[in-house]
Amino acid sequence: MNIAQVDYDGLIPNNVALGQDERVKRALEKWHPGYINWWNDMGPEGFQESLVYLRTAVSVDPKGWAKFDYVRMPDYRWGVLLAPALKGRKIPFGRHKGEDAWQEVPGEYRAMLRRLIVIQGDTEPASVEQQRYLGKTAPSLYDMRNLFQVNVEEGRHLWAMVYLLQKYFGTDGREEAEALLQRRSGDADTPRMLGAFNEQTPDWLSFFMFTFFTDRDGKMQLEALAQSGFDPLSRTCRFMLTEEAHHMFVGETGVTRIIQRTCEAMKEAGISDPNEIERVRKLGVIDLPTIQKKANLHFSLTLDLFGNEISTNAANAFHAGIKGRYREDRLKDDHQLEGGTYPVLRLIDGKIQHEDSPALSALNMRLRDDYVGDCNNGVGRWNKVIADLGIPFEMKLPHVAFHRQIGEFTKIKADVAGNRLSDADWTERRDEFLPSDADRDFIESLMQPQLEPGKFAGWIAPPKVGIDNKPGEFEYVKIA
Ligand SMILES: [Fe+2]
Ligand SMILES: [Fe+2]
């Protein structure tokens, strides 16, 4: 079989020759009904019968891998797709650097690999659960379709991780695959594994911020795992990254369109001061300071996903050749890091300052720094829209010490500029930095569905171009 083509004949589309792998095929077919039950229970509520104009991967060829068509979401062909193997691939980093990449799980790293795959896998269904009510308040059919596209692809990412568990981890893998269907985002007894994936995504501004910030963490993690010496994991993640690019697009353009609409409405009304919040809100758009507060919230929640700045687990995973750095293959150093150092932002004598730490222990910090750089590029593009419309306002990422639950800065309170605050000051000023109840109520009041083809809610600008080059009035979702 040509690896670039996907076999659609069986229950589970795949390019991993599942037809010749009876054991894994049977394991996945057994897992399938539980997955469909999960999707029906926890997937987009109220739209399971609707026809959605979705893309489905039909190939893993980077040029032209998807086809678009109307699909009922429960009938989506979730499949197992790996990027093509690179001939003669070597382990690119760590103590095994230069050895042949592993095609089977190395026994000594089995537990570590399984843990990383399970954690990645757990985030995928979690975000579907978090977003399940948003269809009901979609600002347009275009946006509703994008939400559902992200949702079905997160479902496919779960399949991607479950395939690795079922194929390479025997009984433990099967149990982990079951558990991935049992945990629930935000559930008090069986929550998802990571904090940010137990938060709510109550409105569309949150959804766009989530796809901008939290899916971008997903991208960073996938980039680091795509470097793995365990070749099946590397190939799986490489293909997931092609889908992830669309999730970034949805987040970035979603926030951009909200900002654009706000600035346009302000200009039309002759309001030049972005802090005239009540006047701006009367226009039926979201004021820029509130958008900033949502960014502060989602950025700080997402930073926690990178874990402790100094981490033995991260060092071990790198040393073992299991999880690399962001774009390891483009970095110019020895790829072993046994002697090097890396500057880590720490709390020392009560002050936030850099300290050189062993590079191996500082890998979470390094990935987070790369992430912050990537976020800043996106924020710069938002600011260009604001500047072009002549509004004196600049969106800014908050300081990394702001509002943290994990790592160095959990012990302190800080404002968005990184100045330390007493507990009392924090309590008093919290609503300056993070969405208040009143902010949330206002945003909620705008969340009225706009389901007429080609129409958009008043608080968001239409996109520049349609999906799959469809015209403006295209009916992206045929609501049943
Ligand atoms: Fe994903
Ligand atoms: Fe994603």
Side-chain angles (χ1 to χ4, degrees), residues 139-321:
S140 70
L141 292 180
Y142 166 90
D143 290 293
M144 184 190 277
R145 178 262 165 214
N146 284 350
L147 165 70
F148 295 159
Q149 183 71 59
V150 170
N151 292 159
V152 293
E153 285 175 353
E154 301 303 4
R156 205 203 66 72
H157 291 175
L158 173 60
W159 274 91
M161 292 299 123
V162 163
Y163 168 72
L164 295 177
L165 290 169
Q166 300 272 22
K167 178 157 174 81
Y168 297 100
F169 293 88
T171 313
D172 313 354
R174 199 161 61 236
E175 283 166 11
E176 295 284 13
E178 282 309 318
L180 284 165
L181 294 176
Q182 305 308 322
R183 288 185 287 272
R184 291 286 181 272
S185 175
D187 190 284
D189 302 321
T190 55
R192 292 293 172 184
M193 296 169 87
L194 303 173
F197 291 91
N198 288 304
E199 298 284 334
Q200 288 183 341
T201 311
D203 58 68
W204 278 77
L205 179 53
S206 287
F207 170 64
F208 292 131
M209 288 293 180
F210 185 97
T211 36
F212 182 91
F213 287 113
T214 310
D215 281 69
R216 192 178 305 274
D217 159 70
K219 171 180 123 173
M220 302 307 288
Q221 302 298 339
L222 292 175
E223 289 273 8
L225 293 172
Q227 304 290 337
S228 183
F230 179 49
D231 207 41
L233 176 61
S234 165
R235 293 173 56 199
T236 301
C237 292
R238 270 197 286 135
F239 185 68
M240 290 163 77
L241 281 164
T242 58
E243 295 166 313
E244 206 58 49
H246 176 67
H247 309 179
M248 305 286 93
F249 162 85
V250 169
E252 181 164 330
T253 57
V255 178
T256 302
R257 289 162 51 217
I258 295 174
I259 288 175
Q260 182 192 334
R261 183 70 203 107
T262 300
C263 294
E264 286 169 353
M266 287 172 66
K267 267 185 90 172
E268 285 158 24
I271 304 173
S272 55
D273 181 358
N275 293 311
E276 287 203 59
I277 289 173
E278 288 315 316
R279 277 186 74 198
V280 173
R281 288 187 177 182
K282 285 217 177 76
L283 306 171
V285 296
I286 308 173
D287 52 284
L288 298 175
T290 298
I291 298 175
Q292 174 70 63
K293 286 197 229 175
K294 279 276 196 182
N296 295 345
L297 175 65
H298 287 269
F299 179 69
S300 58
L301 289 171
T302 304
L303 288 183
D304 286 339
L305 295 172
F306 290 86
N308 287 312
E309 286 84 348
I310 301 292
S311 162
T312 325
N313 279 344
N316 290 341
F318 184 89
H319 193 57

